[in-house]
């Protein structure tokens, strides 16, 4: 953190996940209900988020609403916690092996130079 009075380093690694409605009423772009906001209201609402804050969010996604009946539906094929845990443990193990000689052990610790080295995208990606 840098301010006029100086600079501080905190020992923390943060992943910020944030969400907001697309407009004050929450239905802009929704196919099930019409948005009742004016263009001015939407602009004013979105302007509450400052540019510097938005610049620090790396990924912005529009996520369509999920109907309540789908949220409540039973998902017979849903993966259980034990299976998910096994996948996470396997992924962490792959990362630990991949970065063994780099002195760190997770994807979250990659610096930009290492992202270029390990995360190259082919044409399909
Ligand atoms: Zn609206």
């Amino acid at each position: 953190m840098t301010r006029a009075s100086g600079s501080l380093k905190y020992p923390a690694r943060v992943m910020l996940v944030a969400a907001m409605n697309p407009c004050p009423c929450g239905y802009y772009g929704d196919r099930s209900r019409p948005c009742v906001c004016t263009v001015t209201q939407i602009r004013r609402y979105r302007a509450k988020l400052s540019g510097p804050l938005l610049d620090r969010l790396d990924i912005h996604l529009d996520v369509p609403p999920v109907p309540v009946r789908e949220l409540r539906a039973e998902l017979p094929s849903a993966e259980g916690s034990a299976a998910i845990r096994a996948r996470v443990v396997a992924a962490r193990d792959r990362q630990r092996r991949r970065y063994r000689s780099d002195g760190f052990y997770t994807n979250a610790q990659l610096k930009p130079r290492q992202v270029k080295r390990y995360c190259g995208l082919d044409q399909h990606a």
Side-chain angles (χ1 to χ4, degrees), residues 47-101:
K48 289 179 181 177
L49 287 179
S50 75
L53 174 63
L54 289 174
D55 287 348
R56 285 168 172 82
L57 299 175
D58 296 326
I59 300 172
H60 298 211
L61 293 174
D62 287 329
V63 181
V66 178
V68 172
R69 69 179 182 286
E70 284 185 33
L71 290 174
R72 291 183 174 157
E74 288 292 320
L75 300 174
S77 63
E79 190 175 23
S81 294
I84 293 170
R85 183 181 191 286
R87 281 192 304 106
V88 170
V89 167
R92 298 288 287 216
D93 191 49
R94 278 194 306 274
Q95 292 173 53
R96 198 177 350 267
R97 279 184 271 122
R98 181 185 311 135
Y99 305 130
R100 188 176 26 224
S101 63

Side-chain angles (χ1 to χ4, degrees), residues 6 8 21 23 27 39 41 47 67 78 84 86 105 114 121:
L8 294 172
N21 283 328
C23 64
Y27 292 103
V39 172
Q41 287 174 314
I84 293 170
Y105 51 91
Q114 294 150 338
L121 298 176

Side-chain angles (χ1 to χ4, degrees), residues 22-29 34-38 41-42:
C23 64
C25 82
Y27 292 103
Y28 180 81
C35 169
V36 296
C37 306
T38 65
Q41 287 174 314
I42 294 172

